[in-house]
Amino acid sequence: MPKTIKKVGVLTSGGDSPGMNAAIRSVVRTCAYHNIECIGIYRGYQGMIEGDFKEMGPRSVNNIVNKGGTILKSARSVDFRTPEGRKKAHENLVKAGVDALVVIGGDGSFTGGLIFNSEYDFPVIGIPGTIDNDIYGTSHTLGYDTALNTVVDSIDKIRDTASSHNRLFFVEVMGRDAGHIALNAGIGAGAEEILIPEEDLGLDRLLDSLQKSKASGKSSSIVVIAEGDKIGKNVFELKDYVEANLPEYDVRVSVLGHMQRGGSPSCFDRVLASRLGVKAVESLLEGKSNYMVGLKEDKVVLTPLEQAIKGKSEIDRELLRVSDIMST
């Protein structure tokens, strides 16, 4: 028999992403709808260890659906990686009467939840929150759509100055292990080349592509690079290499950095967060645990946490082909 859930704890962990607040709001209000209590856990697992809890009701999440970041704050917890830290966290949850957890974060956050469940048989449901869109079991993670819009808007502005000065711009975007942002934003912003970790373009092919662009009459070029791309040690080394081999190009670098994580979430991310929050709470009430809620073919589905952690999100091969055609 699954245990009765009377109070749910919700936390955000790891890197923040737009839509986390909308997900918190959804969890809190779904709990209220089903007449159960909700506790907000501040600063992720570290706050769980320190007992940094706050009762949350429908009115405590007013006017946050449109805000980026996370009102519950986020932190990486070294202490939670130890048995002693997890024991303290469990004691605090029991003391506060919390019966189950909703963890909003990425694969590292899910790993912590999975270990915690295995040690204490504590129900856990994950909501994927990361702009990189690199979690298996969902077509979209919270914040990904917003980050794409931010990146495309930035590249549009960069292209204005690139065209004015006949320059080549290398624009580095987030994506240490996955090229989803670079590939989609690159196509959306009309980039001449897109460099991602999943595909080794190679220096020779890059030079050849840039030479063809110049020969075809293009007066400026944009190359979008995921931060995890392996073509060079870093984007600045790549700039130096191109300048040395193609002196006709005036090369500039723009690293978009953490601006990609900020800003008001898009409508898509707000709706997604609302749907996933409802599914997370209702899954716990149905006795389910160790699952991640996600989106597949516009349906909210459950994926075992272990699969979500170990599985690999695949790059869309068709988009790669579209990218090649569009750069002609």
Side-chain angles (χ1 to χ4, degrees), residues 271-283:
V271 174
L272 177 63
S274 301
R275 294 175 71 185
L276 297 186
V278 170
K279 184 68 171 179
V281 173
E282 292 185 344
S283 295

Side-chain angles (χ1 to χ4, degrees), residues 118-137:
S118 69
E119 291 177 341
Y120 296 100
D121 191 27
F122 204 91
V124 175
I125 294 287
I127 295 178
T130 167
I131 67 167
D132 289 346
N133 204 43
D134 58 351
I135 297 180
Y136 178 83

Side-chain angles (χ1 to χ4, degrees), residues 198-218:
E198 294 88 344
E199 293 285 306
D200 185 6
L201 180 65
L203 289 169
D204 291 339
R205 186 186 153 190
L206 175 62
L207 291 180
D208 182 58
S209 173
L210 292 173
Q211 285 172 327
K212 286 179 179 176
S213 291
K214 197 79 168 177
S216 71
K218 290 184 180 180

Side-chain angles (χ1 to χ4, degrees), residues 71-124:
I71 62 167
L72 291 178
K73 310 296 182 185
S74 185
R76 302 185 192 277
S77 176
V78 175
D79 295 336
F80 195 74
R81 296 179 182 178
T82 68
E84 296 78 15
R86 293 191 293 274
K87 182 174 184 290
K88 179 64 175 173
H90 182 254
E91 289 171 353
N92 285 333
L93 291 177
V94 172
K95 184 179 178 181
V98 178
D99 305 304
L101 281 178
V102 174
V103 176
I104 307 169
D107 54 2
S109 304
F110 294 164
T111 299
L114 197 62
I115 293 170
F116 190 70
N117 172 270
S118 69
E119 291 177 341
Y120 296 100
D121 191 27
F122 204 91
V124 175

Side-chain angles (χ1 to χ4, degrees), residues 153-223:
D153 184 59
S154 298
I155 296 174
D156 286 347
K157 290 177 170 64
I158 288 168
R159 188 176 289 283
D160 289 344
T161 189
S163 300
S164 298
H165 295 276
N166 296 337
R167 283 175 175 159
L168 163 64
F169 265 87
F170 286 119
V171 181
E172 184 184 270
V173 302
M174 285 186 168
R176 188 179 59 225
D177 302 309
H180 298 289
I181 292 176
L183 180 57
N184 283 269
I187 292 173
E192 279 66 40
E193 281 294 346
I194 301 168
L195 309 181
I196 58 176
E198 294 88 344
E199 293 285 306
D200 185 6
L201 180 65
L203 289 169
D204 291 339
R205 186 186 153 190
L206 175 62
L207 291 180
D208 182 58
S209 173
L210 292 173
Q211 285 172 327
K212 286 179 179 176
S213 291
K214 197 79 168 177
S216 71
K218 290 184 180 180
S219 60
S220 64
S221 291
I222 301 285
V223 177

Side-chain angles (χ1 to χ4, degrees), residues 183 187 316-328:
L183 180 57
I187 292 173
D316 189 332
R317 311 304 300 186
E318 176 62 17
L319 279 183
L320 289 172
R321 198 173 81 84
V322 169
S323 171
D324 284 341
I325 294 171
M326 291 301 102
S327 64
T328 301

